[in-house]
Amino acid sequence: MRAGSASALVALFSDAITTHGGSGRRSMLRAAERGQMGVSLAAAYGKLRRVPVEVSEALLRGCTRALEGLAPPPDEPGLPASLSGFRGVVLDAQTIKGLARRLTPTRGVPGGVLAGRGLMAMTLDAGLIVEMIASPDGYTNEAALLPEAMPRVRGAIPGPRLWIADRQFCYLVHMDEMDAAPGDAFVLRHRADLRFTPDPAIPAGRGVDARGRVWRERWGTLRTRDRRRRVRLITLTRPGQESVRVVTSLLDGRCHPAHDILEAYLARWGIETVFQQITEVFGLARLIGSSPQAAIFQLALCATWYNVIQALKRIVAPGGPTPASAVSGENLFDDVKRHLIACDVVVPLTRLAEALTPDPTPRALGQRLRTLLGPLWTPRWLRAPKTGRSRPPPRPRRQRHHASAHRLIQKHNAKTKDPTTER
């Protein structure tokens, strides 16, 4: 690998995440000891600080494409039976927090420092993050990234697609973007300030979901000053909690029952667990670099590790009564790290890569992995069983001010009249 190249950075900081507890310095010192750096630590950090956002996005995209075909198909459809003709795609944004104040513009800033934001697109069936559109500004509205995201996701996921997102995407212009491709549809949480006018000619529907909660549905029109769209509004009443109101372009209540629409939307909340795992399990909690570009690169790398573990879960799971969804990604990742450390001690990664013969196709490589990893199955990788206990009441969140590192750097550069200064 050429010192300072993108592949070298991936190797260095993957080693930092899997071997050195998120310490980039320890990873680079180890690489320098082996003669694998070729540049100083300061130069390596400078390269990381300047990684273009497009490179980070391409890293996640390329690695996700490489994983396709390695693992067997998902053992669960991801969507209810009435929606089985769609591929469920969840849209949500991950905000990167906790940037170290090493750069001059961020020193002395009270509160936290935001390092950027990434709009993620995740498939419900495989649970893979297939695309990321990132912004170095942590204050960026994720809906503003949607126009760039739509063609990329459509290129990665064949249709028809069911777009599932929270209320920040509930704008008529975004609805037009989501169902622009033939067969696509959407399920979005309704924004209270977007006016819904029910159609008096169609009677309201009512029912009860699997948990005994009452739902109601109406057909009508969403209106703004210059736009209008016919939708179906479904409201789920949750005792002691805020009601869930979703709008959808799937107007046929017989083909797509309301309880299935609600189940598809509620599955969206799984992406919040994914973001938590990316932060706590896969190493985003400790940011290695000190710039927004470095943090976005680390987000792409951590999301890639999450995808790798998702594929490995389908490879190692015995199937049948033990599906891939029953495997704990955290437990599996712990063993992956142990094996990588052991391999690194015995055979350096560069020598190992040179010794391996690439398999001709992803399918052949997937079969080889199943042959090698299948016998390693252990019940220790299973998720902890649910206890059925009620969750404790949420703790009140402390109000904390967060500043955007990108805006602080821009303001500092404007004062110094040197747009290249980020020291």
Side-chain angles (χ1 to χ4, degrees):
M1 293 185 296
R2 182 173 58 87
S5 67
S7 58
L9 285 176
V10 171
L12 280 173
F13 296 108
S14 286
D15 182 62
I17 291 170
T18 58
T19 308
H20 299 290
S23 173
R25 178 179 176 81
R26 290 167 60 188
S27 176
M28 287 188 284
L29 288 175
R30 183 67 178 272
E33 184 180 52
R34 295 177 171 180
Q36 298 171 351
M37 280 289 289
V39 296
S40 66
L41 268 66
Y45 273 117
K47 177 70 175 180
L48 176 65
R49 190 173 66 242
R50 298 185 296 272
V51 173
V53 172
E54 294 78 10
V55 171
S56 301
E57 295 172 348
L59 168 65
L60 176 60
R61 182 185 314 119
C63 291
T64 304
R65 302 295 184 275
L67 289 172
E68 295 176 354
L70 294 183
D75 46 31
E76 296 181 359
L79 288 172
S82 68
L83 302 172
S84 60
F86 295 96
R87 288 288 303 277
V89 183
V90 178
L91 299 171
D92 207 348
Q94 167 85 327
T95 303
I96 313 172
K97 302 178 181 179
L99 187 70
R101 301 176 181 83
R102 299 191 189 102
L103 300 182
T104 299
T106 59
R107 293 175 186 168
V109 176
V113 179
L114 301 180
R117 211 167 200 197
L119 175 62
M120 305 285 198
M122 184 187 80
T123 57
L124 272 182
D125 50 4
L128 295 178
I129 300 173
V130 296
E131 273 293 345
M132 177 184 77
I133 293 84
S135 168
D137 187 357
Y139 288 150
T140 299
N141 188 327
E142 55 262 45
L145 304 174
L146 189 64
E148 185 179 355
M150 299 303 287
R152 292 194 194 177
V153 179
R154 286 195 174 105
I157 304 174
R161 293 153 288 258
L162 180 63
W163 305 93
I164 306 171
D166 210 350
R167 55 169 63 94
Q168 64 266 29
F169 296 95
C170 189
Y171 292 86
L172 298 188
V173 61
H174 298 324
M175 296 178 191
D176 293 342
E177 292 171 341
M178 289 180 182
D179 64 1
D184 282 11
F186 61 79
V187 177
L188 306 174
R189 190 158 187 176
H190 179 236
R191 284 176 37 242
D193 59 339
L194 184 59
R195 182 183 175 186
F196 173 79
T197 304
D199 186 345
I202 303 178
R206 184 179 184 278
V208 178
D209 71 358
R211 298 185 183 180
R213 299 174 297 191
V214 176
W215 56 260
R216 295 178 177 83
E217 62 180 347
R218 296 296 305 267
W219 286 259
T221 306
L222 294 174
R223 301 173 183 270
T224 61
R225 289 184 177 180
D226 56 346
R227 290 175 179 267
R228 63 179 58 191
R229 168 181 276 274
R230 189 164 182 80
V231 296
R232 180 175 162 205
L233 174 66
I234 305 171
T235 303
L236 175 67
T237 302
R238 301 184 298 168
Q241 295 179 286
E242 179 186 3
S243 296
V244 176
R245 292 163 54 90
V246 299
V247 293
T248 179
S249 56
L250 299 172
L251 302 180
D252 192 336
R254 290 175 295 181
C255 291
H256 308 294
H259 56 82
D260 283 354
I261 300 292
L262 289 169
E263 184 179 341
Y265 175 77
L266 296 178
R268 185 208 70 83
W269 288 341
I271 199 171
E272 303 293 344
T273 304
V274 172
F275 290 161
Q276 183 181 7
Q277 290 181 12
I278 289 175
T279 301
E280 298 177 359
V281 178
F282 297 99
L284 193 63
R286 182 177 180 178
L287 296 180
I288 297 172
S290 56
S291 72
Q293 289 83 355
I296 291 172
F297 180 80
Q298 188 170 343
L299 171 61
L301 191 58
C302 295
T304 299
W305 269 111
Y306 164 81
N307 282 347
V308 169
I309 296 301
Q310 287 298 111
L312 284 179
K313 285 166 62 174
R314 302 209 307 271
I315 290 174
V316 303
T322 309
S325 58
V327 179
S328 166
E330 182 176 2
N331 294 343
L332 182 58
F333 189 51
D334 283 342
D335 272 9
V336 167
K337 290 189 292 185
R338 289 176 58 248
H339 282 260
L340 286 174
I341 293 171
C343 182
D344 185 57
V345 171
V346 177
V347 182
L349 184 61
T350 52
R351 289 177 54 192
L352 181 65
E354 293 171 358
L356 292 176
T357 302
D359 287 274
T361 64
R363 179 175 298 180
L365 177 58
Q367 183 58 47
R368 180 178 179 186
L369 288 173
R370 285 191 289 274
T371 302
L372 294 173
L373 301 180
L376 300 181
W377 167 257
T378 169
R380 181 166 40 83
W381 292 339
L382 291 173
R383 292 178 180 271
K386 295 183 179 181
T387 61
R389 298 175 183 173
S390 59
R391 293 183 178 179
R395 297 180 180 178
R397 292 186 177 181
R398 294 183 300 171
Q399 294 295 327
R400 188 183 183 190
H401 172 74
H402 286 86
S404 168
H406 177 72
R407 297 189 182 190
L408 292 172
I409 292 170
Q410 284 188 325
K411 184 178 180 180
H412 174 79
N413 291 342
K415 286 182 179 180
T416 59
K417 297 182 180 180
D418 183 3
T420 63
T421 301
E422 285 193 1
R423 298 177 183 173

